[in-house]
Amino acid sequence: MYYNKAFLKFRFRQFGKIVRDIPVPYLVILTGMAVFLLCGIYAFMDNLTGAAMTGGCFLLLIWLLHLRRNDFHFSQLVEEKPQQVFFMDYWLLSVPVFILEIIRGYYWVGLGVWIGCWLISLQEQPVRRVQKGFSPPRFIPEKAFEYRTGVRKYGWLMLVIYGSAYAGLSLPYVSLVSLWFLTCIMAEFFCYSEPTSILCAQELPANRFLHRKLNLYIRLYFIPMMPVCLLYTLLHPAHWWLAVLFVLLGSLNIALMVVSKYAAYLPNTRITGGQIAISISLFGILFPVLAPLTLLLLIKKYITARRNLIQYLYAYN
């Protein structure tokens, strides 16, 4: 029992350090995402079928996590009982789901989740060879390298969230919240500055360069969003205006991400400026009262981006 207590303290210290290292805007976004996710799960668990499906989906995610653990073989070498380490990890992750199952009154489903976590922790992991990342879909062209890089890095997570948007179509608001999470992830795509050689490859002046970028990324944003929004409108006709408003505000946010990147552009660096503005703007999708602020930020960042790019693209003006 002492080992378990020590392990729990270690995990809580790790979690505390991770939380302290997250910038406040991102922490607010992550907290909001967690609250919306838990509310959506709670609403979905209004009957035994929903509770069982929630437990099954959670165990599937835990099983996929177990198969892809990078520390699996290391833990087997250094730990006397590595299965206990794995089970404690999965047990901690399952606590929110277990509490929701108890609140809904499905005690046996919650107990089944814990038993499933224990069985998963006993499974051996095959030796994995180096694999390439998630392959970007064909509709993303080579020139949209920000999207392609982001999809390679976050593709599996985005696929799960996008799938949840379709799975939640029968419930009000759930699909739109899933698409909001997807939009939040896209903000990470524009946090790195490409080399000057790539910037100048199109040989365009600053204005045309920004216009082409905005046109490209807004069109690419529409491709995954429109099918979900159209289906949502068909299933919830009274909410048609919410779907339209979401697409419009989401497009404004994508445009803000693009111009914010080039407003702070410095070759071969990670961009840290403008993240608070983007975080506030993302919340404007959920709270449209903030939409005018998004529009003002977009205009301000566009002017700054144009001025910043002129010094790199002056030869093409």
Side-chain angles (χ1 to χ4, degrees), residues 254-272:
I254 293 297
L256 179 61
M257 294 172 195
V258 173
V259 296
S260 294
K261 170 186 173 179
Y262 291 105
Y265 175 82
L266 191 64
N268 299 310
T269 58
R270 178 178 175 84
I271 297 170
T272 56

Side-chain angles (χ1 to χ4, degrees), residues 68-94:
R68 298 181 65 84
R69 286 186 70 124
N70 293 326
D71 64 342
F72 183 89
H73 298 289
F74 175 78
S75 298
Q76 284 189 320
L77 291 174
V78 301
E79 295 289 345
E80 182 179 352
K81 297 179 180 179
Q83 289 78 16
Q84 190 175 13
V85 174
F86 303 146
F87 173 69
M88 291 298 294
D89 280 335
Y90 306 149
W91 178 81
L92 286 172
L93 291 174
S94 70

Side-chain angles (χ1 to χ4, degrees), residues 103-152:
I103 293 174
R104 282 296 193 182
Y106 302 114
Y107 308 99
W108 290 105
V109 178
L111 182 60
V113 169
W114 279 0
I115 294 173
C117 290
W118 174 67
L119 293 175
I120 290 172
S121 67
L122 299 178
Q123 182 181 357
E124 291 293 325
Q125 185 187 75
V127 177
R128 291 189 289 114
R129 290 174 173 79
V130 177
Q131 300 176 350
K132 65 177 182 179
F134 191 92
S135 297
R138 293 183 179 180
F139 68 82
I140 302 180
E142 294 290 341
K143 59 184 177 181
F145 54 87
E146 290 97 340
Y147 269 16
R148 295 182 68 87
T149 303
V151 169
R152 287 193 185 99

